Amino acid sequence: MTRFEFETYGMDAALAYFVRTPPRVLSNMRSAVEVTARNVKDTAGENVRAIPQRVGPKGGRLKPLSHAFNYPKVTVENNAAETRVKANGKQARLIGPIENGTPHTAPKKPLKRAADANRADFIRGIEKAVEDGTS
Amino acid sequence: MALPKRPLIDAVLAQLRADTALADKVHFGAVPDPEHTDAPLDPPYVVVHADTGTGERERLSSTTTTRTDITLTVQAVGGTATQALWWSDRAAARLMDHRPVVAGYTCEPLRHTDSAAIEQVTEFTPTIHYSSDDYVLTARSA
């Protein structure tokens, strides 16, 4: 007779480790998201300052809008880190016509271009967050 | 090698104008605003803004640009939000998933990539409402 047995205790422990995100990864992810949000905010402001002409129905200048971008505190819920970069205050009313254009002015898309410009850096940040959190 | 964008944009405009209701209502580029013209445009109408695309070499070893992605912003203008929405749907019916046929190119179906809340412009007379939808056209040299 041949007897053999297979113990699963070690495998269960290993699987439990992999299905539960290590806390350090979540903490690192929050930092990575915050760094990207700050970069997108700054890039969006630069993009607005680079628009050369008066825009808006009354020809308003855009410099105040370039300083109006910000983001709320990064939230971490259900293993996801999130924030949003948007224009705040009185200048916020201008962001729609600037971002998407109007029938009388072409779209400039400062926010979308800022997000695109920082996408590669964001991916690198997340890779590093996971690498540092699991090493 | 440059990939001319004009035939691609012309194909999209032709697709919109093929709808008889849209035929004389589609404008390429910004329309004059009432503050600066004696002949303001009365809604409804559709405005198409287009960027000039981004070129891409799809192989690391390639020295030739073979792909371009053009973003078209289509704004449907109405006297009310409901009218703007109706014309937005009319334009979407012509564009969403439509694959343009352009000599010298292989095109992918148009992708609807973004939209915005319908805006109101009260500074002008007449007051207008407009929707805003982005479509991306990806084309490769044939």
Side-chain angles (χ1 to χ4, degrees):
Chain A
M1 183 176 83
T2 303
R3 181 180 173 174
F4 60 92
E5 61 184 8
F6 180 69
E7 183 185 297
T8 61
Y9 174 76
M11 181 183 291
D12 287 345
L15 284 171
Y17 177 83
F18 283 117
V19 300
R20 186 182 65 240
T21 307
R24 279 201 311 157
V25 172
L26 287 175
S27 169
N28 292 346
M29 263 173 49
R30 179 202 292 265
S31 301
V33 168
E34 174 134 24
V35 167
T36 298
R38 194 178 321 126
N39 290 339
V40 169
K41 170 181 84 82
D42 292 342
T43 306
E46 288 166 11
N47 290 344
V48 168
R49 283 191 288 280
I51 297 171
Q53 57 183 324
R54 289 172 175 262
V55 292
K58 293 296 188 187
R61 290 203 178 276
L62 298 175
K63 192 171 177 184
L65 174 62
S66 72
H67 299 298
F69 294 109
N70 214 331
Y71 56 92
K73 189 175 172 185
V74 176
T75 57
V76 178
E77 275 182 40
N78 299 323
N79 292 348
E82 179 184 5
T83 188
R84 297 179 182 208
V85 178
K86 57 179 187 166
N88 296 309
K90 285 185 190 175
Q91 301 303 319
R93 64 181 176 83
L94 286 178
I95 192 56
I98 302 302
E99 185 74 16
N100 302 307
T102 72
H104 314 296
T105 54
K108 304 295 187 292
K109 299 205 179 288
L111 272 170
K112 180 178 184 297
R113 290 191 294 116
D116 288 346
N118 286 283
R119 178 174 295 130
D121 189 65
F122 175 59
I123 291 171
R124 278 194 296 273
I126 293 295
E127 287 173 347
K128 188 152 177 27
V130 173
E131 185 183 327
D132 289 351
T134 52
S135 60
Chain B
M1 185 182 84
L3 297 176
K5 291 83 175 178
R6 184 168 174 180
L8 296 165
I9 295 171
D10 282 349
V12 173
L13 295 173
Q15 172 66 8
L16 278 171
R17 290 174 177 140
D19 179 340
T20 50
L22 286 167
D24 59 347
K25 291 185 171 58
V26 176
H27 301 269
F28 178 54
V31 297
D33 65 64
E35 274 197 356
H36 297 96
T37 179
D38 293 329
L41 212 54
D42 285 334
Y45 53 89
V46 171
V47 177
V48 178
H49 301 284
D51 65 18
T52 49
T54 52
E56 190 177 330
R57 299 172 195 167
E58 292 187 274
R59 295 187 181 189
L60 281 175
S61 58
S62 174
T63 56
T64 307
T65 298
T66 52
R67 166 181 166 161
T68 186
D69 295 274
I70 299 172
T71 299
L72 300 117
T73 301
V74 178
Q75 293 168 335
V77 184
T80 64
T82 304
Q83 189 180 46
L85 182 58
W86 193 89
W87 286 97
S88 170
D89 280 346
R90 193 106 192 183
R94 297 298 303 170
L95 295 181
M96 195 124 23
D97 300 323
H98 166 70
R99 186 195 294 267
V101 176
V102 181
Y105 288 95
T106 302
C107 297
E108 292 185 10
L110 283 161
R111 302 191 309 279
H112 183 238
T113 56
D114 202 5
S115 69
I118 294 177
E119 292 256 15
Q120 181 186 18
V121 181
T122 56
E123 285 86 349
F124 298 149
T125 302
T127 295
I128 60 172
H129 293 73
Y130 66 93
S131 66
S132 196
D133 293 275
D134 280 359
Y135 297 88
V136 172
L137 171 59
T138 296
R140 293 176 173 83
S141 52

